[in-house]
Amino acid sequence: MNHDGGRFGAESQPAVLAFDVGGTDMKAGIVLPSGRIIGLQRLATPKHPEGTGEAVIQKITELAADFRYRYADHPFNAAGLIVPGLVDEVTGTGILSANLGWKDFPFAARAQAALGLPVAFGHDVGAAGEAEFRFGAARGTADAVVLVIGTGIAGAVFSDGRRLTGGGYAGELGHAPVPDPDRPGSTTILEAVGSAGAVAARYTAATGRSVAGAQQVLALASAGDPDAGRVWNEAIDALAFSIVHCVSILGSQTIVIGGGLSQAGEALLGPLRTRVEELLTIHRRPLIAPATLGQNAGLIGSALKARELLDTIESDIEAQ
């Protein structure tokens, strides 16, 4: 892989197939060496009470067959598959997904057998973070955190130019402890205060009024609603608290904010920068920036993993 010009690979290299499985929906497409996505499809993540892992394998097998038929002029000879939850990228295993219901599912082995292709397997936010790190908002930095803030919170952590995996447990920032604004002196987890889902839920709990989401809470806060303002500011405080720990422990240069909450733009980023600045002491001040690759970051990251796998296979062949 190279970083120059944001290119995915050399034009002489083949295309790869990429799958990005999320908690609600999944994306699939053929990714060309230029990074262009052919035949992009978005569909509901297949779920089954007795075997969502197998349901995912069946769906990607169907999609691969469809891509081969409809895009015969763009052949692919490797695939990337990324999923949420805890994953072991070394063994290709989905360790646990509480939302989708699998445990210790051998995704890489099952997908490779079903597709008849080498399959690179990984974590959805980790792969999206890789894409932002190589070609997006964190490009050119060695130490970064890509924080995806939606219904929950997850992150991808980079140190000295490499993503930390921790056996699948690195980057679970949503479960990092933060001060609990509802119980002074106690702690809760970051995503219980700082996620988009938490912003909406905490406002409803405080007022008894339902809202469509965090954006509506922000609009109410901007209009002077004191409960909305408090909930929004407490979310910023919690996010800043975790960001400052990343900067303090890892020396992070860049903090990339993605996910649904990032759509708030400077209404989120401005106060977040201010609060981080207030909390830091001797540390270098990080750049806090919005993600730039949008909803396809995970798919691009999945393709990057497939490309890396192909490069490894080709290197091994040349060494023989």
Side-chain angles (χ1 to χ4, degrees):
M1 301 295 171
N2 64 64
H3 297 241
D4 300 332
R7 294 186 63 78
F8 175 74
E11 288 298 334
S12 60
Q13 295 172 328
V16 295
L17 188 58
F19 300 101
D20 175 5
V21 179
T24 302
D25 59 19
M26 63 180 288
K27 304 179 187 72
I30 299 171
V31 183
L32 303 182
S34 64
R36 188 161 65 97
I37 301 170
I38 299 293
L40 176 64
Q41 291 197 37
R42 291 185 173 89
L43 60 155
T45 297
K47 299 176 183 179
H48 193 284
E50 297 182 1
T52 295
E54 287 293 350
V56 168
I57 296 300
Q58 180 177 343
K59 179 54 67 175
I60 68 171
T61 304
E62 294 170 1
L63 289 167
D66 183 57
F67 282 127
R68 283 193 180 100
Y69 175 75
R70 291 196 295 133
Y71 301 101
D73 54 338
H74 293 295
F76 45 83
N77 53 6
L81 170 62
I82 59 174
V83 302
L86 296 175
V87 307
D88 186 333
E89 297 186 358
V90 175
T91 64
T93 305
I95 299 172
L96 178 68
S97 173
N99 293 332
L100 294 175
W102 59 67
K103 183 177 181 181
D104 297 327
F105 188 81
F107 274 103
R110 289 287 296 111
Q112 185 160 313
L115 299 179
L117 296 170
V119 174
F121 175 72
H123 185 264
D124 59 345
V125 173
E130 285 275 8
E132 287 288 349
F133 185 70
R134 293 173 182 241
F135 305 123
R139 183 167 172 249
T141 61
D143 304 288
V145 176
V146 179
L147 199 57
V148 178
I149 310 170
T151 303
I153 297 176
V157 180
F158 299 86
S159 181
D160 294 334
R162 299 181 64 182
R163 182 164 72 90
L164 305 180
T165 59
Y169 288 87
E172 288 294 331
L173 292 172
H175 286 263
V178 298
D180 188 339
D182 298 322
R183 296 183 301 157
S186 299
T187 61
T188 184
I189 61 172
L190 175 59
E191 68 180 35
V193 182
S195 66
V199 168
R202 294 187 69 242
Y203 178 79
T204 297
T207 65
R209 297 189 293 271
S210 296
V211 289
Q215 289 283 7
Q216 186 178 348
V217 177
L218 173 58
L220 290 167
S222 300
D225 183 319
D227 291 307
R230 175 181 57 80
V231 168
W232 185 258
N233 289 333
E234 288 169 349
I236 288 171
D237 284 345
L239 291 166
F241 185 87
S242 289
I243 287 170
V244 164
H245 276 83
C246 291
V247 173
S248 301
I249 296 168
L250 299 166
S252 303
Q253 296 171 282
T254 304
I255 308 295
V256 178
I257 306 296
L261 201 64
S262 68
Q263 295 175 8
E266 285 302 309
L268 170 68
L269 299 180
L272 187 58
R273 294 186 189 105
T274 298
R275 189 66 181 126
V276 167
E277 173 68 29
E278 292 170 349
L279 291 172
L280 289 173
T281 56
I282 64 170
H283 318 93
R284 63 181 174 186
R285 272 48 182 170
L287 170 68
I288 299 178
T292 60
L293 296 182
Q295 295 183 355
N296 290 333
L299 201 65
I300 294 170
S302 177
L304 281 170
K305 294 187 74 64
R307 167 56 52 201
E308 287 177 339
L309 178 60
L310 271 184
D311 289 347
T312 299
I313 293 171
E314 290 169 0
S315 295
D316 289 344
I317 292 173
E318 290 174 0
Q320 290 177 0

